[in-house]
Amino acid sequence: MSLIEVKGLKKNYGDLQAVRGLDLQIEQGEIFSLLGPNGAGKTTTVEILEGFRTRDSGSVSVLGVDPQIKGHESRIWRNRIGIVLQNSADAGDLSVGETVKHFSNYYSNPLDVQEVIHSVGLDEKQGSLIRNLSGGQRRRLDVALGIIGNPELLFLDEPTTGFDPQARRAFWSLIQQLRSDGTTILLTTHYLDEAQALADRVAVINHGQIVEISTPTELGGRATAQATVQWRDGAQIKLEKTDNPTALVSKLSTHFGGEIPELIVTRPSLEDIYLEMIGNPNE
Ligand code: ATP
């Protein structure tokens, strides 16, 4: 059985059909990324999976449990999941260290507080009050609070918004480390390079429906899309699209007698493919 199983999920807000019959399966140990434009239904879907919103129809199983359960069973289930919301750290008068320690008490099998603070790069801010942290540092604290409970399943909602490039790379390493430790991760992001770097599979959602589920390299036929070969010929930059870049490069190499000046071979980026899939929002 999959770690997350969603079948025929629907959710309306009045007349608005926010989620319109969504099917999804996420396997143990994978990083699965939800991509989609503003208003596509990602947050609605994720919050149903987290047990924060009710559904109108369809079936949902998360770690073998229906997130709509209540009471004791719900608490046992919550102990097994971690959630990084868009802004969870609200205790402005506590220090970073106190906050992480405080949250660790909610869980039966928490990670080591020092290790978690270290892994999100907040060692030096341990004694600082939360209200004195920068935006990116607060975000790192949110991540620390999401993982302190040593979750089997981690929900990450736009986790790197406001991070500087170095902090993003450090965060990606942390997420890859969690995955190799066996954590399953559902990542919602608007950064296509982040999905490319982290996700085993991505789902593109638009208008409350899945457009496609695939690996980042294969989405929308990306792996077999035409390559663009670019090189310099004298004063000119030449460009050619081809299904057989190797043959073209080989021909050029013979032509130039070895090194091809300023050679670049590219295929459409995940962002190119994604934008093509979701179409023009004004159409
Ligand atoms: P974003 O990328 O902007 O976070 P999203 O894909 O997460 O977007 P949702 O937040 O799930 O999208 O919203 C889906 C649709 O449902 C939107 O049109 C939104 O306006 C609407 N919606 C979301 N929550 C509510 C609500 N509580 N009441 C009414 N409409 C809502």
Side-chain angles (χ1 to χ4, degrees), residues 54 66-75:
T54 55
D66 182 335
Q68 281 182 213
I69 48 153
K70 300 251 179 312
H72 182 59
E73 274 181 78
S74 166
R75 281 195 292 279

Side-chain angles (χ1 to χ4, degrees), residues 8-14 16 18-19 48 54-58 68:
L9 179 65
K10 290 189 182 165
K11 174 76 180 176
N12 297 340
Y13 300 108
L16 180 90
V19 179
I48 289 170
T54 55
R55 59 187 182 270
D56 292 335
S57 61
Q68 281 182 213

Side-chain angles (χ1 to χ4, degrees), residues 13 16 18-19 36-45 53 86 158 190:
Y13 300 108
L16 180 90
V19 179
N38 294 137
K42 302 179 300 295
T43 306
T44 301
T45 302
R53 285 191 208 196
Q86 292 200 13
E158 297 179 30
H190 286 295

Side-chain angles (χ1 to χ4, degrees), residues 29-96:
E30 72 175 335
I31 299 183
F32 191 96
S33 180
L34 281 185
L35 307 175
N38 294 137
K42 302 179 300 295
T43 306
T44 301
T45 302
V46 170
E47 292 195 353
I48 289 170
L49 300 182
E50 293 168 343
F52 292 145
R53 285 191 208 196
T54 55
R55 59 187 182 270
D56 292 335
S57 61
S59 64
V60 176
S61 161
V62 174
L63 296 167
V65 171
D66 182 335
Q68 281 182 213
I69 48 153
K70 300 251 179 312
H72 182 59
E73 274 181 78
S74 166
R75 281 195 292 279
I76 294 174
W77 175 73
R78 288 222 163 268
N79 190 42
R80 300 169 63 198
I81 65 175
I83 298 177
V84 178
L85 298 172
Q86 292 200 13
N87 229 328
S88 48
D90 210 14
D93 284 328
L94 291 179
S95 71
V96 168

Side-chain angles (χ1 to χ4, degrees), residues 18-230:
V19 179
R20 302 189 294 166
L22 198 125
D23 298 322
L24 208 58
Q25 287 189 356
I26 300 178
E27 307 303 329
Q28 156 87 47
E30 72 175 335
I31 299 183
F32 191 96
S33 180
L34 281 185
L35 307 175
N38 294 137
K42 302 179 300 295
T43 306
T44 301
T45 302
V46 170
E47 292 195 353
I48 289 170
L49 300 182
E50 293 168 343
F52 292 145
R53 285 191 208 196
T54 55
R55 59 187 182 270
D56 292 335
S57 61
S59 64
V60 176
S61 161
V62 174
L63 296 167
V65 171
D66 182 335
Q68 281 182 213
I69 48 153
K70 300 251 179 312
H72 182 59
E73 274 181 78
S74 166
R75 281 195 292 279
I76 294 174
W77 175 73
R78 288 222 163 268
N79 190 42
R80 300 169 63 198
I81 65 175
I83 298 177
V84 178
L85 298 172
Q86 292 200 13
N87 229 328
S88 48
D90 210 14
D93 284 328
L94 291 179
S95 71
V96 168
E98 286 165 343
T99 305
V100 179
K101 176 80 189 105
H102 176 73
F103 272 73
S104 76
N105 293 329
Y106 292 136
Y107 298 95
S108 60
N109 185 27
L111 295 172
D112 181 77
V113 171
Q114 293 307 322
E115 271 178 33
V116 167
I117 290 175
H118 177 69
S119 69
V120 297
L122 283 179
D123 286 314
E124 286 168 17
K125 293 288 168 185
Q126 179 129 219
S128 306
L129 296 184
I130 295 177
R131 63 176 139 83
N132 294 336
L133 297 179
S134 73
Q137 289 163 347
R138 287 222 17 174
R139 209 68 199 103
R140 295 193 211 185
L141 176 62
D142 291 335
V143 174
L145 301 182
I147 63 175
I148 186 66
N150 194 13
E152 290 166 55
L153 169 64
L154 180 63
F155 291 97
L156 292 172
D157 190 3
E158 297 179 30
T160 59
T161 306
F163 278 28
D164 63 43
Q166 196 187 12
R168 282 183 83 212
R169 291 300 168 106
F171 174 79
W172 291 358
S173 307
L174 168 66
I175 296 306
Q176 279 155 341
Q177 183 57 47
L178 288 172
R179 191 236 324 252
S180 43
D181 294 344
T183 313
T184 307
I185 296 166
L186 177 56
L187 166 75
T188 310
T189 183
H190 286 295
Y191 298 122
L192 280 295
D193 59 339
E194 188 157 285
Q196 169 81 53
L198 294 178
D200 298 299
R201 289 192 301 146
V202 298
V204 176
I205 300 187
N206 203 7
H207 304 302
Q209 285 177 316
I210 300 275
V211 182
E212 190 179 330
I213 299 180
S214 185
T215 63
T217 41
E218 290 166 320
L219 192 81
R222 187 174 165 221
T224 51
Q226 281 201 318
T228 303
V229 179
Q230 180 186 310

